Structures are given as structure tokens and as C-alpha cells.
Amino acid sequence: MLWLLLACTPPPPPPSLECRILTAPAPGPLAERRAKATEAVEIAGIFMEEGRLTGDGGYYELAANAVACAKSREGETAAVLLAEAQGLLQLHRFAQAERVGLLLRKEQDNEAAKLVLADALFEQGKLDQAAEIYDELLRRTRAPALLGRVAWLRQAMGDWDGAVELWEMAKPLPMKPEEAAWVLAQLGWLRALQGQPAPELDHALALLPDYSEALLFRGRLRAFQGDNEGAIADLRRAGPRWDARRALAEIEGTDPLPDCRLDRRGCALYLADRDPEAARKLMEEELAARRDAATLAYAAYVDFRLGKAAKGPMTQALVSGNRDPQVLLVAGLVLEDRALVQAALTPGVGLFAEERERGKAFLEEP
């Protein structure tokens, strides 16, 4: 009878395409650890970690595939929704990440759910809503990741001294090497933007020699200081991330474009003075995902290059107090404000070389 029962039992459905792809071997710095993982959600997390370490956005696409596999197997569990929202943040799909974050909080309203939703709100420029969640979490914990988020929030509002204070608070706390390198890299870059020594970048790379974020920041700082040899070494190791490609292309006299998928905004700013119509299309996609101060400022600059009215939108973009050098530069050019351009050029490390030249040329005009 048992054989008859087994013969009548339908075979299990074939695995989804996402799950079949997941079983294919993929190289990477954590490939050995990934090969030992059995759950799709765990594999997604490892892919995201590899993306952060290497600066290669392809790992985030692989993570999204792993999340899709997990969803086909498990449905929209809290663990799956959390991994999905975290992956969407890495892919710069911030509005979608907010929607998933809201679903997650209905399933499991814990600190992780609140943090991922706050991150999605922050990246879209919804700073007051993000701050409310961050403040609530700060009353419970002083975790480095949370302190870093609040530091970013203060920096986005123009409070760079407050941001430095928070990064300094996070620095001595117990952390995994990647998290410690992240804190040091962010602190070092913020110091560099203010014209201060940035030994934290070297300290981050002493912890993780191939950490993409720290290599990008140190490479850009070295390029600004005229150390092209050191800059090229760092920027090549930083991976295929857009800012590294652009900085490297300036030194080597090449074209940084082939792929704008993971930094449409950065590509749009680069294209605004070369192909403003292509820049406009990229900015339309970006504005559908986020409307923070930098995105609005870049969109206004693209409009300016297209001959459209841009002073009103640019003025609105500055309301948050954002002091990012690239934002200040494009704002100064659109508003014909010499003080803003001068602020962007002081000390100027946050600008690419051609942007510094553009700002200097503007200041030299009668």
C-alpha cells in the first residue's frame, strides 16, 4: 500500500528560477561562508555584506535574487521583509524600501524594523519623520549603527560638529571589524571635508585593507592632495562604484561611464554639463525614489543646464541646511551666489577636479 500511496503523491513543484540561480556558484570575498549557508535570507545578507566590502553593486542584485527565492519559499515573513527592505536601500530604491518597511512593522515592530524604515525615510529627505524614529531608538540604545545614522542626519541638516561628536561616540564601542571600519571611514571623510587631518581612513584600512568605502575616501583625498599614484592605487581597489570610477577617470583621462544603475544621481550630475537630456531622464528616475536636498539640488541644476527655471527649486533644496560641497557648488552656480561657490571650494576635497575648476572659473568672472 505504501508504494501505491507514494505513486499517487504528486511530485513537489520545481524550485523557482530565483532559487535555481541561487545554487549557482558565485565568486566573492565571502564565497566560502556563503557556500555553507542553507537559508536564502542568510545568503542574501552575505551578498549584501560583500557589496559593502567591495563596492560592487552586482552583489546587491544577487542579494535581491536571494530575497526573491526566500519569498517564494517562505512568503512575506518578518525575516524576509527585513532582508528585502535592507536590499532595496542598497539598490537606492528608497520609496519601495519605505513601503516594505511599513509592512515589516505590521509583522514585527522591533528595533530592526524601525531602523530600516527610518533609513528609507532619511534617504528620501523625510528628515523629521526619520529623526522621530531615531530619537525613539536612542532612548533605548547607543548602538554604533544607530549613532552613525543620527550622525548622517545631523550632517544632512548642516550640523557637522554634531555629526563628528556622534561618530566619536561610536568609535570606542565594541563592534565587528566591518562596522568599526565603517565608523572610522565616515568620521575620516567628514574631517577631510572640513580640511582637517583624517587618520581614521588609514585606521579603517588597517582593520579591513580592502574595504571599499575607506579606499574611495582615501583615494579621493589623495587625488585632492596631488598624490596621483596613491589615489590610483586606492581608487582601483575601491571597486566599480561610481564615485571611484569618476575620480579615477579624471586622473587617467578616461570616461567613467558605462553603468549608472546604482548611482543615477551621481551620473546625472556628471552628465548635466555634457548631455543634459540624458541627465534629465536619470533624475526623473531618481526623483521617483527620493526627494532629499541633494537630489532636489541636482535636479534643479539639470533644469538649469536645460535652460529651465531653476532658482526657486534650488532655493527650496537648501532649506534643510545641507552643506555638501557638490550641493553648495551647483546651488551657487544656479543662484549666482559667490559665497556658496566659495564655501564649496573650502577646502574643496568634496568636489571632483573638474567641479573645482568650474567653481574657480565662476569666481574669476567679473
Side-chain angles (χ1 to χ4, degrees):
M1 287 295 294
L2 180 59
W3 69 267
L4 183 61
L5 179 62
L6 290 173
C8 295
T9 302
S16 66
L17 175 62
E18 293 84 2
C19 294
R20 293 200 300 274
I21 293 172
L22 194 61
T23 60
L30 305 178
E32 185 176 344
R33 196 173 106 202
R34 227 186 317 111
K36 295 176 181 178
T38 57
E39 300 297 326
V41 167
E42 181 185 2
I43 294 171
I46 296 172
F47 274 133
M48 281 188 270
E49 187 176 345
E50 288 179 303
R52 293 191 301 270
L53 289 171
T54 64
D56 187 342
Y59 287 110
Y60 300 135
E61 301 284 358
L62 291 171
N65 176 81
V67 169
C69 171
K71 191 180 288 189
S72 73
R73 290 174 174 173
E74 306 168 31
E76 291 186 336
T77 65
V80 170
L81 289 171
L82 177 60
E84 182 177 18
Q86 291 171 335
L88 289 168
L89 287 172
Q90 297 290 356
L91 289 167
H92 293 190
R93 299 173 188 169
F94 303 118
Q96 194 175 347
E98 179 187 355
R99 291 193 291 273
V100 175
L102 290 169
L103 285 174
L104 173 61
R105 289 194 66 176
K106 292 179 182 178
E107 291 289 324
Q108 183 174 295
D109 195 20
N110 58 9
E111 289 184 5
K114 291 174 181 176
L115 187 61
V116 78
L117 176 59
D119 290 348
L121 293 168
F122 169 77
E123 293 288 2
Q124 293 177 85
K126 301 176 181 179
L127 303 186
D128 291 340
Q129 293 172 258
E132 185 178 343
I133 298 174
Y134 290 143
D135 287 344
E136 177 190 344
L137 293 173
L138 276 175
R139 289 193 287 270
R140 304 178 189 176
T141 181
R142 287 291 189 271
L146 178 59
L147 291 172
R149 261 60 167 217
V150 180
W152 272 341
L153 181 66
R154 289 195 179 179
Q155 191 171 337
M157 292 178 166
D159 181 11
W160 285 14
D161 291 339
V164 167
E165 182 181 347
L166 284 161
W167 289 118
E168 287 285 7
M169 286 174 59
K171 191 166 66 170
L173 298 176
M175 290 175 272
K176 295 178 180 178
E178 184 202 348
E179 196 169 26
W182 171 69
V183 168
L184 289 167
Q186 302 303 320
L187 177 57
W189 183 240
L190 186 52
R191 290 198 190 284
L193 290 175
Q194 298 179 86
Q196 300 170 4
E200 293 85 0
L201 298 178
D202 291 328
H203 298 162
L205 290 166
L207 279 177
L208 286 180
D210 294 320
Y211 182 44
S212 173
E213 190 98 330
L215 287 166
L216 165 68
F217 292 153
R218 194 175 70 175
R220 290 195 60 188
L221 178 58
R222 284 176 163 178
F224 176 73
Q225 294 170 337
D227 177 11
N228 284 351
E229 184 177 348
I232 288 171
D234 281 347
L235 294 168
R236 283 181 177 166
R237 289 171 55 210
R241 54 193 311 152
W242 166 255
D243 281 359
R245 293 205 318 268
R246 180 171 180 182
L248 187 61
E250 284 193 326
I251 299 171
E252 297 182 328
T254 58
D255 185 350
L257 288 169
D259 185 355
C260 291
R261 286 177 300 172
L262 289 180
D263 194 349
R264 293 177 302 230
R265 189 174 71 181
C267 285
L269 185 61
Y270 172 80
L271 289 171
D273 298 292
R274 295 167 171 81
D275 187 348
E277 281 294 343
R280 179 187 60 80
K281 292 176 183 176
L282 288 170
M283 285 309 310
E284 286 175 352
E285 295 176 19
E286 193 70 3
L287 288 168
R290 57 176 165 179
R291 302 184 70 85
D292 61 305
T295 305
L296 294 173
Y298 293 179
Y301 184 68
V302 171
D303 283 345
F304 171 70
R305 288 303 183 194
L306 286 167
K308 299 180 180 180
K311 289 189 176 182
M314 184 64 80
T315 300
Q316 186 60 36
L318 296 178
V319 168
S320 71
N322 191 297
R323 291 169 53 194
D324 178 85
Q326 290 178 299
V327 169
L328 295 180
L329 175 66
V330 296
L333 295 176
V334 171
L335 300 174
E336 300 177 285
D337 187 321
R338 299 173 70 86
L340 288 174
V341 174
Q342 186 61 63
L345 290 168
T346 310
V349 65
L351 300 176
F352 291 97
E354 68 169 344
E355 292 174 330
R356 291 195 297 273
E357 291 305 312
R358 190 174 301 128
K360 290 174 184 176
F362 173 82
L363 293 178
E364 290 170 0
E365 294 176 358

